Amino acid sequence: MLFDVLGRPDILKMEAYATPVARAKAMSDLYAIIATLTPARTTEAWLQACKDARLPAMAVRDLADVIDDPHLRASGFFRPVDHPTEGPIFEMAPPVAFSCAPDGASPAPVLGADTAAVKAGLAVSPARSAE
């Protein structure tokens, strides 16, 4: 069905892809073929073609675009925060709220901030720590 939508129903008639077992063995090849065919249309056009063919599909976002994903924006998935050392950043909003931490978790410590406490908790001697 997908290769019909892609305009290449002949692909799955080739001996190398003719059976489900053969397709499973050649999945990397099939993905490579799909990658060569999909630039022919926009994401919106492919989504409509898949919808028309009753194929489940959704857009895949780049990391650069994920902040602007309409669903994630509408659901409040990301929130802007001011990190104490990194400045303004976006982070995933906490999926649950706790009464003792209504704003969510605090930022992660900077590299090495907890090293001494961890070593002390593990009873690492100063001599061993210096190694």
Side-chain angles (χ1 to χ4, degrees):
M1 177 69 76
L2 175 61
F3 282 92
D4 292 333
V5 173
L6 292 169
R8 290 295 310 274
D10 59 299
I11 296 288
L12 298 184
K13 294 176 182 154
M14 295 178 178
E15 186 176 339
Y17 315 120
T19 67
V21 172
R23 289 179 203 139
K25 288 179 181 177
M27 193 58 63
S28 294
D29 294 341
L30 292 171
Y31 283 138
I33 293 168
I34 292 167
T36 65
L37 297 173
T38 53
R41 297 186 197 176
T42 65
T43 299
E44 292 75 22
W46 284 121
L47 290 173
Q48 187 60 53
C50 288
K51 182 179 178 182
D52 293 346
R54 302 191 64 198
L55 286 175
M58 66 179 289
V60 176
R61 305 281 180 208
D62 297 302
L63 284 176
D65 297 332
V66 74
I67 295 291
D68 295 320
D69 179 275
H71 171 73
L72 296 178
R73 188 172 285 270
S75 67
F77 188 83
F78 292 110
R79 67 179 182 176
V81 295
D82 193 25
H83 191 279
T85 59
E86 305 306 310
I89 62 170
F90 281 97
E91 69 178 12
M92 291 184 298
V96 295
F98 297 99
S99 61
C100 63
D103 292 5
S106 60
V110 296
L111 183 62
D114 294 328
T115 301
V118 170
K119 287 180 178 180
L122 296 172
V124 176
S125 71
R128 177 76 176 155
S129 180
E131 292 176 0

